[in-house]
Amino acid sequence: MRASLLQVAVNEDESVEARRLRVAGMVRDQAGADLVVLPELWTTGAFAYEAFGTEAEPLEGPTCEAMAKAARDAGVWLHAGSIPERDPDGPLYNTSLVFSPSGALAAAYRKIHRFGFDQGEAVLMGAGDELVTVRLPQTTLGVATCYDLRFPELFRGLVDAGAETFVVPAGWPERRRSHWTLLAQARAVENQAFVLACGTAGTHAGVPQAGHSIVVDPWGEVLAQAGPGEEVLTVDFDPATVAGTRERFPALKDRVLGLEPPKRR
Ligand SMILES: O=C(O)CCC(=O)C(=O)O
């Protein structure tokens, strides 16, 4: 299976419209890949808080339309990263979109863990409450977004739902790049799954982005990692490795669930 992670540069000197057009072209160039992955909030930038409201769009909006068409033109599964979603009956959401090679919207995932503590996404957007998996011919994807990477229980939930390959679009800041690599490897090792984590490059809202998108195998080995700038990271991997690893080293079968809290003495 061939995956291409498009580590898009998000800088303020490019308009959202221009970037949308440019990224659609980048997706089209990936014809021949099985899966193409984009980062989190690549239209606005994950830290461009004031743009969330102005650029938010419904699931039938201009980004979805452009990405559906790009997926169809390239004939690829496309995890189109996330957009600020405007729900007509609710708050904004940070919503990831997956398109099939026919351009149909196969899944939408509203980010569960919002980043920012008492500012930014955490106050401007609503939280999703549903895990999402997507069945591809080669593997079952489990989707998560950026800050979700810090919450192992979400990934365990995805494993229980059948996930073998995690796809994690992000807008991870350079300041915490070491956590990015470490957490991607940890999620792969503990769940014996592939991790495809695609971040942004560039600087927006004064926040330099980490880049360094990464693909990790179920043994925790880094199969490929990007540098800091805009880059297409292409990797060939065998999804059957997941079943093989889980069979040969069956740690997931030794899980003990529902542990009691410590008793007071
Ligand atoms: O957890 C982190 O350090 C970064 C998270 C983040 O930037 C996000 O979720 O947008």
Side-chain angles (χ1 to χ4, degrees), residues 40 46-47 111 115 121 145-147 150 171-173 176:
E40 177 189 33
F47 290 87
K111 186 178 180 182
F115 182 65
E121 178 185 52
T145 307
C146 201
Y147 188 46
R150 293 186 182 273
W172 202 274
R176 294 184 293 280

Side-chain angles (χ1 to χ4, degrees), residues 40-41 46-47 94 111 113-117 121 145-151 169-173 176-177 179-180 183 207 209:
E40 177 189 33
L41 297 176
F47 290 87
N94 184 342
K111 186 178 180 182
H113 301 95
R114 295 160 301 165
F115 182 65
F117 308 113
E121 178 185 52
T145 307
C146 201
Y147 188 46
D148 283 335
L149 195 56
R150 293 186 182 273
F151 300 89
W172 202 274
R176 294 184 293 280
R177 174 152 65 87
H179 296 192
W180 165 252
L183 289 165
V207 183
Q209 295 293 288

Side-chain angles (χ1 to χ4, degrees), residues 181 185 213-217 219-225:
T181 302
Q185 287 186 272
S213 298
I214 186 167
V215 177
V216 190
D217 78 6
W219 199 246
E221 300 293 337
V222 176
L223 296 185
Q225 188 158 29

Side-chain angles (χ1 to χ4, degrees), residues 176-196:
R176 294 184 293 280
R177 174 152 65 87
S178 60
H179 296 192
W180 165 252
T181 302
L182 188 67
L183 289 165
Q185 287 186 272
R187 297 296 85 87
V189 171
E190 73 197 358
N191 296 298
Q192 303 182 306
F194 285 96
V195 171
L196 277 50

